[in-house]
Amino acid sequence: LCSGIFLLGTCIPNRYFGERLPAPTSSMVVKDDDDVIIVNKQQNSPLRSGPRIAWLMSFPNSGTSYTLDLVSKVSNMTLASNYGNEHYGKDGNSQPIFEGGPYWLDPDSDHRPIKTVLTKTHCGGYCNECHVQKYVETPHSFLVHCATAEGRERVNESEPFYSKRYVYDTNNVDRAVHLIRDPLD
């Protein structure tokens, strides 16, 4: 019997998912393959003001966008995504919930949840044309990938947009929904 999460035929004990990424007090850089990810600067307080995050976790193309759209229409609330470069406001910038992400799906909406915001994430572990070492995750790398957000921004109108990747503080993550699609569908 598994007293944790049963994932791909393996029991992952609860103690791994009790881990939280630290709220760094200075800049840290994490190497992810060839990309550099900026770990967001945080204050020492464990929780920042704003809604708590509920991750909607799945492999890409498993229905997360459809699920978010459905929940948004039923609740009349905007939701969030770790992929802010896909969603931006009238000014062209992604709008983060917290500094470094995640990002609002509809940055121009006034209908925002107060307590908990459903947030799309894929948590790494997927690659179509890669060797197995590229997509096997440790509990720590899984958590880092779940909390990695990418946003689009520019400093002024005369400059092009650029993309930045951050790892945000997981102390604001309160829940997780694991969306599983039938592989034969």
Side-chain angles (χ1 to χ4, degrees):
L1 195 60
C2 180
S3 63
I5 295 177
F6 193 73
L7 183 65
L8 299 175
T10 305
C11 180
I12 301 174
N14 282 331
R15 70 176 184 270
Y16 289 115
F17 290 95
E19 176 184 8
R20 299 281 189 193
L21 292 178
T25 55
S26 61
S27 286
M28 294 184 347
V29 175
V30 176
K31 200 90 158 109
D32 178 27
D33 295 332
D34 296 324
D35 298 327
V36 173
I37 302 172
I38 300 166
V39 176
N40 193 18
K41 291 182 181 182
Q42 307 279 332
Q43 296 177 349
N44 287 330
S45 62
L47 295 176
R48 293 172 285 163
S49 62
R52 306 285 286 161
I53 296 168
W55 280 333
L56 177 60
M57 306 173 355
S58 75
F59 282 103
N61 301 316
S62 294
T64 47
S65 296
Y66 175 77
T67 303
L68 285 174
D69 187 49
L70 185 66
V71 171
S72 179
K73 286 179 180 171
V74 169
S75 67
N76 195 31
M77 294 284 175
T78 188
L79 303 175
S81 173
N82 281 356
Y83 313 101
N85 51 351
E86 298 173 358
H87 306 279
Y88 36 88
K90 293 175 186 166
D91 63 357
N93 292 321
S94 305
Q95 185 178 14
I97 297 173
F98 304 111
E99 184 183 344
Y103 298 89
W104 292 110
L105 287 181
D106 183 1
D108 300 319
S109 173
D110 293 330
H111 300 279
R112 295 183 176 172
I114 297 169
K115 292 183 179 181
T116 305
V117 60
L118 192 61
T119 303
K120 175 181 176 177
T121 184
H122 295 307
C123 297
Y126 58 89
C127 185
N128 293 331
E129 305 286 329
C130 297
H131 191 269
V132 69
Q133 280 95 357
K134 291 283 186 183
Y135 59 85
V136 170
E137 299 280 350
T138 66
H140 180 75
S141 69
F142 180 80
L143 185 62
V144 167
H145 284 112
C146 288
T148 299
E150 186 169 358
R152 169 185 152 143
E153 56 187 87
R154 69 176 168 192
V155 178
N156 60 51
E157 290 188 22
S158 64
E159 294 184 20
F161 287 98
Y162 62 94
S163 192
K164 274 193 169 179
R165 291 175 65 191
Y166 296 92
V167 177
Y168 56 83
D169 181 7
T170 57
N171 282 317
N172 284 318
V173 178
D174 194 37
R175 297 180 167 101
V177 177
H178 193 178
L179 183 62
I180 300 172
R181 179 179 174 192
D182 181 354
L184 303 177
D185 185 13

